[in-house]
């Protein structure tokens, strides 16, 4: 990860390193026929998903469609009851946890900041997979933390207590912790949920910059128009199945939105980026 | 390592913010050093002071002069008792720090969630029901571990949730306390009396024979704590983050629980239940150092200082009162304050 400049293009749809990614290219991270369940409640059966390398993949779908569950499986938080998640051709369950954590990072939906912890202390904890019993803090760790804080623009807050920060700042700090892990693949579980629109865009722009600089980004997002704008590869899920996947321009149609979300709409080009923009139809009464 | 310091020095020049971070770390280090100094001074004072006062020089002479009465006082009475206070205080505090961190709640301490009460039950069963066939320490150890197992099993549901652990623990404590009363009521008066003395928690009966094996075990547990500490710091972030960072969450938590239970059980087996050190020391240490989280080293030092202080109070100001009673009285007030504060927060 080199210096990240603020002038980098913010839209993930332009042909960056992720370029043409329609799911046919190489995929380091794959879910192969996974069945996902909490106890006996089955969320998805025989689900097969490839995450194209260097893509900004966004998973969308209605509530309870299994999109977060899929992300949990991809990030080793949930073990499939059958099938397997494969990383670089090898079952991810066969990796030492720290080894896998050096390749696949995750920004979870919720985390807890210990009382009194400072921003830099918290970001440092993202270096755990790079440390061992006898390999303690090094200059490489220090550098990774500095870079992560610079990329998320929290470096000015380095010595503030996390508990004093606003929601938007705090989410950037959590993102910095995930970045400090320095993984080529980064998973994001609804990273913008509790943020206002300005902070949502700010964070998505940050992830788009990461993608531009070569990281494979996989995000679960609620907002369809944001997904269509930032994704290079879109996966639409419903009832634990993949309904459609591909570049947003190719797959986001009024029919698909109707099928997946049950929403009557028109789809027009986004005046800013030309990506599909979903406009719900006015109700008839 | 030198590269790291060099780069951080360069950053200190570039950004003044870095220097405040260093200041915060310096503050934490200063507090640890201050607490260590308190422990050392406390140790020296505890050896010198008492009804039979000695200067430090006389203490050194007494150690070598095996025939003197001072030797008896220093080596046979004061030293084991003082070392016990420091070692067990540290053990109880670290145990409390581990459980409070895992349960994310100060009330998750081993003395609140029943491990000490369980140790007492074990001790009572051994002394009264089995009539002293097995050493009381063994009963206490088994009782504490069994209680921890029961509480953990009852509170386990797809992992351990802090609040459920506390609720289950307080429930189990209630049941065990009732059993303890029942056993004592059935016993002969003098046996019940002896058991009650043990149950109050005291350092006055500690001698080298009991202390040495306990301290050796505690030292081994201390090594385990140092090795497990980074895992505890990951678990603080929540299970999802910890797992995403490559931590094996459930085995790590189980190992920490096992070490935490063992720390309390070993201390309790020798002294009887001493309440509130594991509740109060980590909380005070966290407030002194201002985090992050509940610091282990500061908790250990503070626990050592607290128990030594309470025992000196018990010995010198309140003769005949066991140290367990002192910590209950002081800690009880602290617990009430904590409960009120928790209740207001919800």
């Amino acid at each position: 990860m080199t210096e990240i400049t603020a002038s980098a293009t913010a839209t993930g749809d332009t042909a960056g390193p992720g370029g043409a990614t329609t799911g046919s290219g190489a995929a380091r991270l794959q879910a192969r026929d996974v069945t996902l369940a909490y106890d006996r409640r089955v969320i998805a059966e025989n689900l097969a998903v490839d995450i194209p390398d260097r893509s900004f993949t966004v998973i969308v779908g209605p509530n309870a469609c299994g999109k977060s569950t899929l992300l949990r499986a991809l990030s080793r938080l949930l073990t499939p009851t059958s099938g397997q998640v494969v990383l670089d051709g090898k079952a991810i369950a066969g990796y030492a946890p720290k080894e896998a954590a050096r390749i696949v990072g995750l920004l979870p939906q919720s985390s807890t900041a210990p009382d009194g912890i400072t921003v830099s202390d918290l970001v440092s904890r993202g270096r755990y997979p790079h440390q061992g019993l006898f390999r303690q803090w090094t200059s490489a760790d220090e550098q990774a933390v500095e870079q992560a804080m610079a990329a998320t623009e929290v470096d000015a807050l380095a010595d503030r207590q996390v508990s004093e920060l606003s929601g938007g700042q705090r989410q950037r700090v959590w993102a910095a912790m995930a970045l400090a892990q320095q993984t080529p693949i980064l998973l994001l579980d609804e990273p913008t949920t509790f943020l206002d629109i300005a902070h949502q865009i700010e964070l998505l722009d940050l992830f788009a910059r990461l993608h531009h600089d070569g990281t494979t980004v996989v995000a679960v997002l609620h907002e369809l128009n944001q997904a269509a704008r930032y994704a290079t590869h879109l996966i639409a899920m419903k009832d634990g199945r993949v309904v459609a996947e591909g570049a947003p321009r190719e797959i986001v149609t009024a029919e698909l939105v109707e099928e997946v979300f049950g929403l009557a709409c028109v789809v027009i080009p986004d005046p800013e980026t030309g990506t599909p923009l979903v406009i719900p139809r006015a109700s008839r009464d | 390592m030198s590269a790291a310091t060099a780069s951080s020095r360069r950053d200190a020049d570039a950004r003044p913010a870095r220097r405040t971070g260093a200041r915060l770390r310096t503050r934490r280090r200063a507090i640890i050093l201050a607490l260590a100094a308190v422990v050392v001074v406390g140790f020296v004072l505890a050896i010198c002071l008492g009804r039979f006062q000695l200067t430090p020089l006389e203490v050194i002479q007494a150690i070598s002069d095996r025939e003197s009465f001072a030797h008896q006082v220093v080596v046979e009475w004061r030293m084991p008792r003082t070392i016990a206070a420091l070692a067990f205080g540290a053990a109880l505090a670290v145990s409390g720090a581990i459980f409070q961190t895992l349960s994310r709640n100060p009330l998750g301490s081993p003395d609140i969630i029943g491990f000490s009460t369980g140790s007492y039950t074990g001790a009572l069963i051994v002394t009264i029901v089995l009539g002293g066939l097995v050493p009381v320490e063994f009963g206490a150890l088994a009782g504490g571990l069994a209680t921890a197992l029961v509480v953990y099993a009852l509170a386990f549901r797809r992992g351990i949730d802090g609040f459920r652990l506390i609720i289950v623990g307080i429930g189990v404590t209630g049941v065990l306390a009732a059993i303890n009363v029942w056993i004592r009521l059935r016993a002969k008066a003098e046996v019940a009396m002896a058991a009650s003395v043990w149950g109050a928690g005291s350092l006055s009966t500690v001698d080298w024979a009991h202390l040495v094996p306990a301290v050796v075990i505690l030292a081994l547990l201390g090594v385990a704590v140092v090795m497990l500490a980074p895992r505890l710091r990951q678990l603080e972030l929540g299970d999802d983050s910890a797992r995403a960072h490559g931590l094996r969450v459930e085995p790590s938590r189980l190992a920490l629980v096992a070490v935490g239970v063992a720390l309390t059980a070993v201390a309790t087996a020798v002294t009887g239940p001493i309440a509130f050190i594991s509740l109060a020391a980590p909380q005070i240490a966290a407030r002194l150092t201002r985090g992050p989280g509940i610091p282990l080293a500061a908790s250990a030092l503070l626990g050592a200082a607290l128990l030594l202080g309470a025992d000196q109070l018990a010995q010198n100001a309140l003769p005949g009162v066991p140290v367990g009673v002192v910590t209950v009285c002081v800690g009880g007030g602290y617990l009430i304050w904590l409960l009120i504060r928790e209740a207001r927060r919800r």
Side-chain angles (χ1 to χ4, degrees), chain B residues 34 40 56 79 95 109 116 126 136-137 147 161 197 236 257 263 302 310 312:
Chain B
V40 170
M79 271 203 176
S95 177
S109 301
S116 316
V126 164
V136 63
E137 289 86 356
T147 308
D161 167 76
V197 169
E236 270 179 339
V257 165
L263 283 168
L302 201 76
Q312 287 300 306

Side-chain angles (χ1 to χ4, degrees), chain A residues 72-111:
Chain A
R72 289 180 75 82
L74 291 173
S75 57
R76 300 171 297 117
L77 262 52
L78 180 75
T79 309
T81 47
S82 75
Q84 52 190 211
V85 173
V86 172
L87 177 62
D88 291 333
K90 186 178 141 192
I92 203 164
Y95 281 78
K98 276 189 178 178
E99 191 189 352
R102 289 194 290 266
I103 306 173
V104 181
L106 169 72
L107 178 60
Q109 240 174 59
S110 67
S111 307

Side-chain angles (χ1 to χ4, degrees), chain B residues 17 55 57 63 69 77 91 98 113 123 171 173-174 215 229 234 252 260 286 333 340:
Chain B
T55 65
L57 198 70
I63 290 172
F69 177 63
W77 297 348
I98 290 173
I113 59 178
T173 307
V215 168
Q234 286 295 316
S252 300
I340 292 170

